[in-house]
Amino acid sequence: MTVAVRRRRLSAAEARRVALAAQGFADPRPTRRVDVRHYRKTLDAIRVLQLDYVNVLMPAHFLVLWSRLGAYDKTRFERFLYAGGAYTEQWAHEASIVPSACWPLLAHRREEHQLHKQNPLMRLRHRRAYLDAVLEQVRQQGPVTARDLPPLPGPKKRPGDWHRSLPRRALDYHFGRGGLAVVSRRPNFQRVYDLPDRVLPAQHLARSIERADAERELLKFAAFSLGVGTVRDLADYYRMSPKDAAPRLLELVEERVISPVDVEGWKETAYLAKTARFPRKIHGASLISPFDPLLWFRPRAGRLFGFHYRIEIYVPAAQRKWGYYVLPFRVGDDIVARVDLKADRQAGKLRVLAAHAEPLTNRRESSAELVRELLALKDWLELDTIEVTRHNPYSRLLATSL
């Protein structure tokens, strides 16, 4: 594997391998027990772990680690995330785990955070007094969940609503503003909130960074985690606007942190990170979480892999093309299939509700790789069997292989 030197042009295949290497896919999965060194190495590569607790298969952020490490102890991983102060929850890409050192880099986001006009708290009489009282309760009593606050009547839940109580919304507001930080998660995924100075190392809380400097630093991290990307690719990693990102990227070019390159088939100029690696080949296979940073920005996924991806959770069932909770399947440096999976814990089954091979994929070879991955996933999820719905030639081939 070679490290990037000054390059002016990349082939499409080189760009794919650079992107996969930057995200940790060039390294084989550990052959021995996964420990904190593996967690740290993975988080150092991706830098932002988007949290998502849809539990059809497994909360998506656990799958991000699975794709790179294989089987690991989820309880131990959560303990690693929330104990010791090295990582914290913040609004980064979306709600995410980031290094605690990013706290001052995201200060401008917290300063801009406001209640949305549709938030039921906006209709609450004496709203400011209530929000102040919530903060005071945490200050006096220590860590709380929404259930620890006095209940308040709120809007009735409508079908399809993602319901949050008024106490939960108040805690979320303070979290967004930086008045509270997340100290842990309960087994039911509830956030436990406390004051930042009880959660985060003092040096991060005391550090103040100008917005332009913070944005430049975040874009540098995005470049290191993506390997190569356009202005829009890099801006999306921490949810910046391309307009704000563009001048900061030019500064990074001046600092030789990144360099402009042309990528075969890309219409826009790309930027190559000085840390980019050029593996001759990407080995292995892995199912990819719907919220994996490798695929966050769908236009980039299309350019890198010729892969057009849409999460269809919110699409009516009759209109879904691929399925409810579809995971892309990678073999080497290509995405060769997509699989709609469900963990039926009551029945002890990993259900393959749909499986589709991508165009030009060698179906027999990819199904053999997918079988190995599904068997390993079944064991990690402590399920007994795999059940495949046979609705097309590829799923029938998969069922036969199993």
Side-chain angles (χ1 to χ4, degrees), residues 39-182:
Y39 303 150
R40 191 175 294 113
K41 183 178 180 181
T42 300
L43 293 178
D44 284 349
I46 64 175
R47 286 180 170 82
V48 182
L49 180 64
Q50 182 180 340
L51 298 171
D52 186 88
Y53 285 94
V54 173
N55 206 21
V56 176
L57 178 66
M58 170 64 59
H61 51 285
F62 290 127
L63 289 168
V64 172
L65 272 288
W66 159 265
S67 297
R68 292 155 177 82
L69 301 178
Y72 65 95
D73 186 326
K74 296 182 290 295
T75 301
R76 191 180 186 195
F77 175 60
E78 282 202 296
R79 199 159 53 237
F80 166 78
L81 288 181
Y82 291 100
Y87 299 92
T88 189
E89 289 193 27
Q90 276 286 277
W91 286 102
H93 182 77
E94 297 290 337
S96 307
I97 294 287
V98 296
S100 294
C102 282
W103 177 270
L105 301 179
L106 296 166
H108 61 281
R109 296 272 182 83
R110 296 191 296 273
E111 291 167 2
E112 293 173 351
H113 183 82
Q114 298 293 336
L115 290 173
H116 191 274
K117 63 181 180 181
Q118 300 300 326
N119 191 314
L121 284 171
M122 294 294 286
R123 301 192 294 275
L124 186 67
R125 292 184 64 189
H126 310 300
R127 178 176 68 252
R128 176 44 56 189
Y130 174 68
L131 291 171
D132 289 346
V134 166
L135 208 54
E136 183 61 24
Q137 180 172 337
V138 179
R139 188 175 291 113
Q140 295 294 329
Q141 298 181 15
V144 302
T145 69
R147 292 183 178 180
D148 297 320
L149 300 179
L152 276 180
K156 292 183 179 179
K157 185 177 179 181
R158 295 173 297 183
D161 274 356
W162 185 262
H163 185 67
R164 292 189 178 112
S165 66
L166 288 180
R168 165 70 187 277
R169 290 178 185 276
L171 291 168
D172 285 351
Y173 167 75
H174 286 304
F175 168 71
R177 293 285 295 175
L180 294 176
V182 176

Side-chain angles (χ1 to χ4, degrees), residues 198-381:
R198 297 173 185 165
V199 178
L200 292 155
Q203 68 266 29
H204 302 320
L205 294 172
R207 190 180 174 205
S208 178
I209 304 176
E210 293 292 329
R211 177 169 181 160
D213 295 333
E215 289 180 337
R216 184 168 56 252
E217 191 78 358
L218 292 172
L219 287 165
K220 180 181 77 172
F221 292 157
F224 291 171
S225 292
L226 291 178
V228 62
T230 65
V231 172
R232 292 188 303 146
D233 299 341
L234 295 165
D236 179 74
Y237 209 77
Y238 288 94
R239 290 293 202 235
M240 268 183 235
S241 75
K243 182 180 177 182
D244 289 340
R248 305 288 81 82
L249 290 172
L250 292 179
E251 293 164 4
L252 291 175
V253 171
E254 288 292 318
E255 296 172 14
R256 299 198 172 189
V257 172
I258 58 176
S259 57
V261 291
D262 293 324
V263 178
E264 178 188 2
W266 293 22
K267 295 180 180 178
E268 299 174 45
T269 297
Y271 294 91
L272 180 69
K274 69 176 183 180
T275 55
R277 296 182 293 165
F278 284 76
R280 293 184 176 87
K281 191 170 184 179
I282 301 289
H283 297 279
S286 54
L287 288 160
I288 308 294
S289 162
F291 300 100
D292 195 293
L294 180 69
L295 301 175
W296 273 343
F297 194 51
R298 305 303 189 222
R300 183 171 186 265
R303 278 182 269 115
L304 282 171
F305 303 105
F307 182 72
H308 300 281
Y309 187 40
R310 181 188 184 191
I311 298 173
E312 297 182 305
I313 289 174
Y314 301 109
V315 175
Q319 298 174 26
R320 290 179 195 136
K321 183 176 181 180
W322 307 111
Y324 182 78
Y325 198 75
V326 174
L327 276 65
F329 181 56
R330 174 195 66 85
V331 176
D333 67 355
D334 199 9
I335 293 176
V336 299
R338 58 185 90 202
V339 196
D340 185 16
L341 296 179
K342 176 181 175 63
D344 187 342
R345 294 171 179 84
Q346 187 170 356
K349 292 182 179 181
L350 176 60
R351 297 189 184 275
V352 183
L353 303 176
H356 304 270
E358 291 298 293
L360 307 180
T361 291
N362 183 316
R363 295 184 177 186
R364 191 165 297 278
E365 289 181 6
S366 70
S367 67
E369 294 281 3
L370 183 53
V371 163
R372 282 191 282 272
E373 182 78 347
L374 290 171
L375 287 170
L377 181 63
K378 168 187 72 71
D379 292 343
W380 184 53
L381 297 178

